[in-house]
């Protein structure tokens, strides 16, 4: 019956989505004391009031508990409902708490708690009958109100005849005057209104007698509580699942925990009946087993560790094994026992590693580098309340901070800027081998774990507060809509639902919404429900996923420029009114905020190479279909020319049959010598083209230090992977920026192949452009070596250490520059052109794999460089480069 009800309600919600009906995202409840479910059996001190049943199957409940343990005496039949028509407190329907205390009770405090099983919003109620009775009873009422979400706001209801003389909003206190007889008799004179901060789940009220004139007074006293109680629960996306148990609060298909902090994890294990990684990076379980428990931090399940054999391990030899300078972990624990040593996290071992553990009721951390140990001594006290608690750790260039429930509890200055690579396998729930405490025991953990996260960066204090409070405050585009509720988190005009998955094979959201396991995540995006988890692409590999990256392909053109149809009259960056859903109102249907009824904003197919017109295209290619914001041609790669100054220039894309006049004319003007009205000319190495009369086979010696060069005609074409001489003078300016004119058409990206196909396994890139370079054989007796003008074939910078060289193309092995296997055939040092002054070329900058950075150890976009091929008579085997496609670097010109 319950499932039938849930499915029917979901069908109604789905129809509302289809019809464009505005859904209520907050449900308001009002207490009507004396009418079900707001009933109370007189004399009871606790009652759970079931207010509603939400579609996720959990009740909206209000638990009221009244603790008389410090106030013994006659309760006069209370607590009980106090009706407005015939009651004693406040002239409104409320719950009256009374006491005729025994002698010598002092202030006889009564503690009342009201607990909601979901966070509540826009919550208020009245406390009535706060007065002072001096003439016949010597009692004076005081209430102190506090919440788990901050201090409430108190205000006097009847300001003209009030019996309340003290109102302290700093401490949440309201009281009458113990020196005056100020009585409230079923009227509003002794009433206050209490406004509770949003997001609260627990309110505590301490009611006591502060009159000291006759401390042995035993006359009955009482107050009225929770009259006019009103509160709301929140379901932002209107899917029927309240936000606090909804794992995707905006229905964009991206799980909330991936959007919770200002940086994105590279591994996320929610342990929802699975040990898989849901970050999109594929860091799934390698070893270990656990069971699952329905007691969880969020919707779904948690991981249950039995304390005997259960553990989890995710490292694969590189991930969680490599040297680390910056990283963070965050996870929740609910121990079943606080006895003995229990390892929570163990990465590395007794040589290099980090361990977090429970030692009885103490939380401890240790770090080791080359067997040198730094730890937090006896540790810090861990709560013994049996509840969930959040643990996080950050490693920041050797400074380690341990957090418990969002608060920093231990800080270690290790002196280890980088924690070295560690062979021991990482584990949650046990020690693997020997740990950073140099403890060889397994130390299995007994209890629950949930929501495990790993970040390749340092979480901020604000991030950790977001994770530990589950409030998720990150707001990438600063539009005052947090990312977990923002359908366009980077405000580039492309919805997160589009950018959060691959272009080809795009999966549209369910319509109507389908969520059979009631966790708030569309079943089409949940593997456990037979769907496909969103892949969360990071096109340029810069560590920022596309849905948060304003330039997903790092080509210098923003996603806004490459995603929004310019015929719509939009300009970038976008501006205007942003709705509560994070989308620009005018880009939505009808030009106004449509809430969460259309999370992809009407984009049914984001693949322009498939005939769709929903997204812009940069170039048409049915073999490698992609939208413009994820594909690059030449990008905004540029280089600066100085008047009359020779410079090496490379081509960052495949310009095919386009002439150099068409490619560069927009930037440089008319091609040709000044004597013929031209402003710039280019030269190639003569040997680059067969049958050139000046072909010298790239050969030079200590006397002939330059190869022959041949001037190009304006209608000549150019190729990638080499460089050309260029010189410019327009007679007016001293400098000019030169770029490729992409608007002429017929331009495509430099074509790449998989690096792995050639045995190249480099963690920094996966694609390469291969280019032959001269062999080592010398044709001329006078020659000593060869000089070749190479060039960056991409609109992205790379460091020399990522450039791979091979001797004997097709048979030989590719080695990175700087590897001694290359030294027989190619000099490890390259030379970039360096001519800071107007006039003849005077110098070069040496770059090599041992010097990091784009200036001293790298090659920028459109930058050429000289290489020296060692001369070896008779060595005719071909040589080649594999240039790395490193999109995360951009042009490197910034």
């Amino acid at each position: 019956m319950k499932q039938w009800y849930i499915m029917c309600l979901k069908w109604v919600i789905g129809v509302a989505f289809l019809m464009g009906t505005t859904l209520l995202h907050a449900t308001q409840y009002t207490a009507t004391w004396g009418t079900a479910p707001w009933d109370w059996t007189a004399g009871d001190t606790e009652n759970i009031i079931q207010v509603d049943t939400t579609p996720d199957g959990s009740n909206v409940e209000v638990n009221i508990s009244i603790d008389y343990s410090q106030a013994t005496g006659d309760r006069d039949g209370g607590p009980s409902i106090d009706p407005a028509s015939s009651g004693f407190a406040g002239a409104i329907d409320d719950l009256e708490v009374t006491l005729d205390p025994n002698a010598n009770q002092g202030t006889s405090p009564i503690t009342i708690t009201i607990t909601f099983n979901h966070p509540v919003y826009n919550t208020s109620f009245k406390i009535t009958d706060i007065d002072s009775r001096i003439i016949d009873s010597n009692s004076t009422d005081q209430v102190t109100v506090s919440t788990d979400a901050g201090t409430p706001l108190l205000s006097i209801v009847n300001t003209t005849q009030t019996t309340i003389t003290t109102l302290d909003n700093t401490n949440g206190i309201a009281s009458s005057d113990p020196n005056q007889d100020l009585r409230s008799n079923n009227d509003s004179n002794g009433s206050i209104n209490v406004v509770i901060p949003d997001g609260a789940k627990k309110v505590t009220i301490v009611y006591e007698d502060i009159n000291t004139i006759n401390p042995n007074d035993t006359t009955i006293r009482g107050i009225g509580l929770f009259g006019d109680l009103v509160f709301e629960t929140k379901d932002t996306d209107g899917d029927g699942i309240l936000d606090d148990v909804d794992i995707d609060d905006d229905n964009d298909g991206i799980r909330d925990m991936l959007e919770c902090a200002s940086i994105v994890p590279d591994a996320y294990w929610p342990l929802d009946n699975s040990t898989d990684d849901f970050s999109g990076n594929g860091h799934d379980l390698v070893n270990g087993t656990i069971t699952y428990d329905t007691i969880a931090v969020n919707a779904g399940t948690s991981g249950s560790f039995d304390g005997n054999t259960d553990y989890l391990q995710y490292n694969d030899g590189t991930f969680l094994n490599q040297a680390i300078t910056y990283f963070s972990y965050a996870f929740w624990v609910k121990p079943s026992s606080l006895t003995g040593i229990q390892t929570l996290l163990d990465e590395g071992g007794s040589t290099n590693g980090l361990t977090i553990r429970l030692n009885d009721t103490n939380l401890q951390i240790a770090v080791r580098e080359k067997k040198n140990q730094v730890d937090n001594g006896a540790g810090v006290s861990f709560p013994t309340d049996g509840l969930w608690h959040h643990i996080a750790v950050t490693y920041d260039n050797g400074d380690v901070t341990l957090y418990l429930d969002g608060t920093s509890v231990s800080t270690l200055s290790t002196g280890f800027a980088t924690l070295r690579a560690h062979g021991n396998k990482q584990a949650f729930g046990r020690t693997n081998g020997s740990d950073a405490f140099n403890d060889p025991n397994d130390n299995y953990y007994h209890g629950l774990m949930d929501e495990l996260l790993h970040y390749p960066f340092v979480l901020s204090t604000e991030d950790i507060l977001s994770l530990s409070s589950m409030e998720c405050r990150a707001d990438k585009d600063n539009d005052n809509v947090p990312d977990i509720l923002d359908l366009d988190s980077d405000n580039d005009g492309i919805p997160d639902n589009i950018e959060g998955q691959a272009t080809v094979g795009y999966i549209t959201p369910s319509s109507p919404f389908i969520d059979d396991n009631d966790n708030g995540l569309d079943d089409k995006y949940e593997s456990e429900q037979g769907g496909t988890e969103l892949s969360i692409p990071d096109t340029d590999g810069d560590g920022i996923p596309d849905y948060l990256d304003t330039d997903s392909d790092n080509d210098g053109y923003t996603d806004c420029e490459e995603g929004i149809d310019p015929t719509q009259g939009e300009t970038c960056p976008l501006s205007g009114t942003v709705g509560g859903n994070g989308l620009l109102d005018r880009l939505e249907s009808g030009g106004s905020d449509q809430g969460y009824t259309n999370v992809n904003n009407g984009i049914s197919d984001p693949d322009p190479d498939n005939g769709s017109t929903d997204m812009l295209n940069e170039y048409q290619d049915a073999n490698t279909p992609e939208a413009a914001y994820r594909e690059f041609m030449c990008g905004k790669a540029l280089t600066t020319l100085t008047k009359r100054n020779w410079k090496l220039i490379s081509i960052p894309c495949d310009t095919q049959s386009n002439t150099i006049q068409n490619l560069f004319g927009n930037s440089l003007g008319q091609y040709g010598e000044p004597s013929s009205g031209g402003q710039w000319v280019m030269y190639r190495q003569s040997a680059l083209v067969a049958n050139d009369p000046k072909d010298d086979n790239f050969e030079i010696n200590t006397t002939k230090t330059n190869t022959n060069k041949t001037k190009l005609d304006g209608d000549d074409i150019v190729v990638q992977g080499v460089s050309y001489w260029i010189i410019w003078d327009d007679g007016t300016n001293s400098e000019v920026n030169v770029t490729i004119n992409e608007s002429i058409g017929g331009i495509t990206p430099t074509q790449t192949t998989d690096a792995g196909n050639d045995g190249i396994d480099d963690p920094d890139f996966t694609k390469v452009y291969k280019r032959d370079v001269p062999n080592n054989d010398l044709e001329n007796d006078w020659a000593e070596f060869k000089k070749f003008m190479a060039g960056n074939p991409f609109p992205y910078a790379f460091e020399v250490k990522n450039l791979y060289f091979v001797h004997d193309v097709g048979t030989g092995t590719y080695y990175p520059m700087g590897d001694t296997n290359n030294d027989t055939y190619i000099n490890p040092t390259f030379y970039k052109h360096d001519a800071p002054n107007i006039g003849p070329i005077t110098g070069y900058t040496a770059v090599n794999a041992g010097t990091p950075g784009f200036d001293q150890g790298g090659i920028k976009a459109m930058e050429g460089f000289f290489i020296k091929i060692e001369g070896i008579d008779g060595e005719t085997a071909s040589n080649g480069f594999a240039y790395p496609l490193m999109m995360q670097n951009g042009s490197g010109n910034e």
Side-chain angles (χ1 to χ4, degrees):
M1 185 69 178
K2 170 187 158 188
Q3 281 297 319
W4 178 87
Y5 161 74
I6 293 171
M7 290 307 297
C8 284
L9 184 53
K10 287 180 180 178
W11 180 85
V12 171
I13 291 171
V15 171
F17 271 111
L18 289 173
M19 296 175 64
T21 304
T22 300
L23 297 177
L24 293 176
H25 301 327
T27 302
Q28 187 179 80
Y29 302 96
T30 301
T32 53
W33 291 102
T35 302
W38 297 92
D39 296 318
W40 192 280
T41 301
D44 283 355
T45 57
E46 185 170 8
N47 190 13
I48 298 176
I49 301 170
Q50 182 177 312
V51 179
D52 195 5
T53 301
T54 58
D56 68 342
S58 65
N59 297 327
V60 176
E61 295 176 346
V62 179
N63 186 336
I64 298 176
S65 176
I66 303 167
D67 179 9
Y68 282 93
S69 61
Q70 299 182 67
T72 59
D74 184 359
R75 301 174 192 166
D76 194 33
S80 61
I81 291 176
D82 179 68
S85 59
S86 57
F88 300 94
I92 58 174
D93 295 332
D94 54 15
L95 182 66
E96 187 176 33
V97 174
T98 54
L99 177 68
D100 185 354
N102 295 333
N104 300 314
Q105 291 289 304
T107 63
S108 53
I110 303 169
T111 301
I112 303 101
T113 57
I114 179 169
T115 305
F116 305 87
N117 67 331
H118 297 283
V120 293
Y121 304 84
N122 298 322
T123 304
S124 63
F125 57 84
K126 290 183 175 63
I127 301 177
T128 64
D129 201 26
I130 302 171
D131 61 6
S132 181
R133 297 171 180 260
I134 303 302
I135 295 175
D136 55 5
S137 63
N138 294 319
S139 67
T140 301
D141 296 331
Q142 175 174 288
V143 294
T144 303
V145 188
S146 60
T147 84
D148 60 352
T151 305
L153 178 64
L154 313 182
S155 61
I156 294 172
V157 173
N158 186 342
T159 57
T160 59
Q161 291 182 294
T162 184
T163 61
I164 299 167
T165 57
T166 298
L167 193 72
D168 177 1
N169 266 307
T170 300
N171 299 296
I173 296 174
S175 63
S176 191
D177 186 347
N179 298 308
Q180 298 185 63
D181 193 73
L182 301 171
R183 303 188 179 211
S184 174
N185 295 300
N186 205 30
D187 53 36
S188 62
N189 295 357
S191 300
I192 61 170
N193 192 61
V194 182
V195 178
I196 301 302
D198 282 347
K201 293 181 69 175
K202 183 178 181 180
V203 180
T204 302
I205 303 167
V206 178
Y207 166 46
E208 55 193 328
D209 176 7
I210 61 170
N211 193 298
T212 58
I213 296 175
N214 184 2
N216 297 323
D217 176 69
T218 58
T219 305
I220 191 168
R221 59 184 172 89
I223 58 172
L225 294 168
F226 310 125
D228 295 338
L229 170 63
V230 60
F231 64 93
E232 295 178 356
T233 54
K234 186 161 62 173
D235 172 21
T236 299
D237 54 17
D239 61 1
I241 312 300
L242 298 183
D243 283 3
D244 64 308
V245 291
D246 191 331
I247 66 173
D248 181 14
D249 281 352
D250 57 1
N251 276 352
D252 62 359
I254 303 172
R255 294 171 181 251
D256 287 348
M257 293 308 293
L258 296 176
E259 299 187 275
C260 195
S262 63
I263 56 178
V264 179
D266 58 355
Y268 169 43
W269 307 288
L271 303 185
D272 287 342
N273 293 308
S274 170
T275 56
D276 288 349
D277 168 27
F278 289 98
S279 71
N281 294 312
H283 298 309
D284 297 341
L285 177 70
V286 176
N287 288 311
T289 59
I290 57 170
T291 57
Y292 300 98
D293 198 300
T294 56
I295 298 173
V297 171
N298 216 327
T301 64
S302 63
S304 178
F305 296 73
D306 65 4
N308 295 309
T309 60
D310 289 348
Y311 72 98
L312 295 175
Q313 177 210 327
Y314 292 100
N315 58 321
D316 58 9
T318 299
F319 180 63
L320 305 186
N321 286 112
Q322 59 194 339
I324 47 178
T325 304
Y326 308 100
F327 78 97
S328 303
Y329 278 99
F331 54 94
W332 290 84
V333 295
K334 187 176 186 292
S336 298
S337 168
L338 288 174
T339 302
I341 295 176
Q342 302 179 77
T343 298
L344 302 176
L345 168 67
D346 177 28
E347 179 173 339
S350 57
T351 301
N352 306 309
L354 178 147
T355 302
I356 299 174
R357 71 184 189 182
L358 290 169
N359 188 348
D360 293 328
T361 59
N362 293 316
L363 182 65
Q364 297 178 315
I365 184 171
V367 181
R368 278 200 165 215
E369 171 74 1
K370 297 177 69 174
K371 297 187 178 182
N372 295 310
Q373 180 174 326
V374 180
D375 57 50
N376 68 341
V380 296
S381 179
F382 188 86
T384 58
D385 52 14
L387 301 176
W388 283 104
H389 292 281
H390 188 262
I391 294 173
V393 62
T394 61
Y395 191 102
D396 183 3
N397 199 36
D399 292 331
V400 180
T401 304
L402 178 67
Y403 294 84
L404 177 61
D405 293 329
T407 300
S408 170
V409 292
S410 292
T411 300
L412 308 177
S413 295
T414 67
F416 317 141
T418 297
L419 189 62
R420 296 181 181 223
H422 28 281
N424 279 44
K425 297 177 179 179
Q426 172 269 359
F428 286 106
R430 77 162 189 183
T431 292
N432 184 64
S434 186
D435 62 20
F437 287 97
N438 199 28
D439 187 341
N441 298 305
D442 290 333
N443 298 327
Y444 283 100
Y445 167 66
H446 187 203
L448 304 179
M449 282 194 186
D450 206 358
E451 301 294 330
L452 315 179
L453 293 151
H454 180 274
Y455 297 83
F457 310 101
V458 178
L459 287 168
S460 68
T461 300
E462 181 70 15
D463 287 330
I464 290 172
L465 285 173
S466 287
L467 293 168
S468 62
S469 66
M470 304 292 283
E471 292 180 2
C472 298
R473 305 163 183 168
D475 180 12
K476 171 70 174 181
D477 54 12
N478 296 312
D479 60 358
N480 295 317
V481 180
D483 293 344
I484 63 166
L485 304 179
D486 197 329
L487 295 180
D488 184 9
S489 296
D490 56 3
N491 198 32
D492 60 3
I494 308 173
D496 293 354
N497 177 261
I498 302 295
E499 295 187 277
Q501 53 182 307
T503 300
V504 177
Y506 169 72
I507 303 170
T508 59
S510 296
S511 181
F513 183 72
I514 300 174
D515 179 24
D516 287 343
N517 61 346
D518 306 315
N519 63 1
L521 179 62
D522 190 330
D523 285 353
K524 292 180 74 173
Y525 303 135
E526 186 171 4
S527 56
E528 186 183 343
Q529 296 301 110
T532 302
E533 298 282 336
L534 296 195
S535 55
I536 319 295
D538 176 13
T539 298
D540 56 14
D542 63 356
I544 304 171
D546 291 356
Y547 76 89
L548 295 176
D549 197 332
T550 56
D551 184 4
S552 293
D553 57 6
N554 209 9
D555 65 352
Y557 295 97
T558 67
D559 290 355
C560 176
E561 293 173 286
E562 296 186 301
I564 299 295
D565 188 345
T567 62
Q568 295 179 357
E570 296 296 333
T571 58
C572 299
L574 296 174
S575 62
T577 302
V578 174
N581 61 5
L583 291 173
L584 199 66
D585 282 356
R586 67 171 180 271
L587 296 182
E588 294 197 68
S589 175
S592 61
D593 187 352
Q594 299 298 303
Y596 297 87
T597 61
N598 197 359
V599 297
N600 60 3
N601 205 18
I603 299 175
S604 59
D605 183 1
D607 182 5
D609 291 310
N610 193 37
S612 172
T613 58
D614 290 336
M615 301 289 293
L616 294 180
N617 200 11
E618 193 158 26
Y619 70 100
Q620 188 73 32
D621 186 352
N623 294 320
T624 56
E626 191 51 88
Y629 76 99
R630 283 177 170 160
E631 59 189 0
F632 64 93
M633 292 195 297
C634 310
K636 280 191 175 177
L638 62 84
T639 191
T640 301
L641 303 182
T642 303
K643 178 180 179 180
R644 299 179 190 172
N645 209 34
W646 291 95
K647 189 168 188 177
L648 290 182
I649 188 172
S650 65
I651 311 303
C653 48
D654 187 350
T655 56
Q656 300 191 43
S657 60
N658 284 291
T659 67
I660 58 173
Q661 174 63 57
N662 289 338
L663 292 175
F664 301 120
N666 275 6
S667 300
L668 302 178
Q670 182 61 43
Y671 185 80
E673 300 285 353
S675 59
S676 59
Q679 297 171 325
W680 58 286
V681 291
M682 291 177 65
Y683 288 80
R684 62 170 169 82
Q685 283 186 289
S686 299
L688 197 61
V689 175
N691 302 317
D692 187 306
K694 295 191 291 184
D695 182 359
D696 56 6
N697 197 34
F698 306 104
E699 296 177 9
I700 60 174
N701 59 24
T702 53
T703 303
K704 182 182 183 295
T705 57
N706 282 310
T707 60
N708 295 338
K709 60 180 182 290
T710 300
K711 187 170 74 171
L712 300 179
D713 293 328
D715 57 0
D716 279 342
I717 62 173
V718 284
V719 297
Q720 313 102 287
V722 301
S723 59
Y724 300 86
W725 284 115
I726 188 170
I727 190 167
W728 160 88
D729 181 4
D730 68 354
T732 303
N733 299 295
S734 59
E735 287 186 345
V736 65
N737 289 330
V738 57
T739 61
I740 301 289
N741 179 12
E742 291 190 358
S743 66
I744 58 179
I747 295 176
T748 63
T750 296
Q751 295 301 300
T752 62
T753 58
D754 290 335
N757 292 344
D758 291 290
I760 299 173
D761 183 14
D762 192 304
D764 292 333
F765 61 90
T766 60
K767 299 286 186 179
V768 294
Y769 169 74
K770 294 188 292 185
R771 170 80 197 189
D772 286 346
V773 298
N775 63 30
N776 298 92
D777 185 39
L778 300 175
E779 294 181 354
N780 298 294
D781 293 339
W782 52 263
E784 297 175 8
F785 51 88
K786 295 183 179 181
K787 184 177 183 180
F788 182 69
M789 290 163 46
N792 187 348
F794 297 117
Y796 307 106
F798 65 85
E799 293 189 70
V800 172
K801 66 179 182 179
N802 295 118
L803 177 63
Y804 280 67
F805 173 82
V806 62
H807 176 67
D808 197 359
V809 174
T811 302
T813 300
Y814 280 91
Y815 295 102
M817 291 305 302
D819 191 301
T820 56
N821 284 288
N822 296 329
D823 291 352
T824 299
Y825 309 104
I826 185 172
N827 192 287
T829 299
F830 302 160
Y831 294 90
K832 296 195 298 184
H833 194 234
D834 180 18
N837 302 311
I838 295 175
I841 182 168
T842 58
Y844 301 90
T845 298
V847 294
N848 58 65
T851 306
F854 297 129
D855 289 327
Q856 300 301 320
I859 308 298
K860 299 177 182 178
M862 295 190 74
E863 194 163 52
F865 54 98
F866 292 109
I867 64 172
K868 178 184 175 183
I869 304 293
E870 303 295 349
I872 306 175
D873 286 334
E875 187 58 68
T876 58
S878 57
N879 294 320
F881 275 150
Y883 290 96
L885 174 59
M886 302 184 66
M887 300 174 71
Q888 67 268 33
N889 291 336
S891 69
N893 288 321
E894 297 180 357

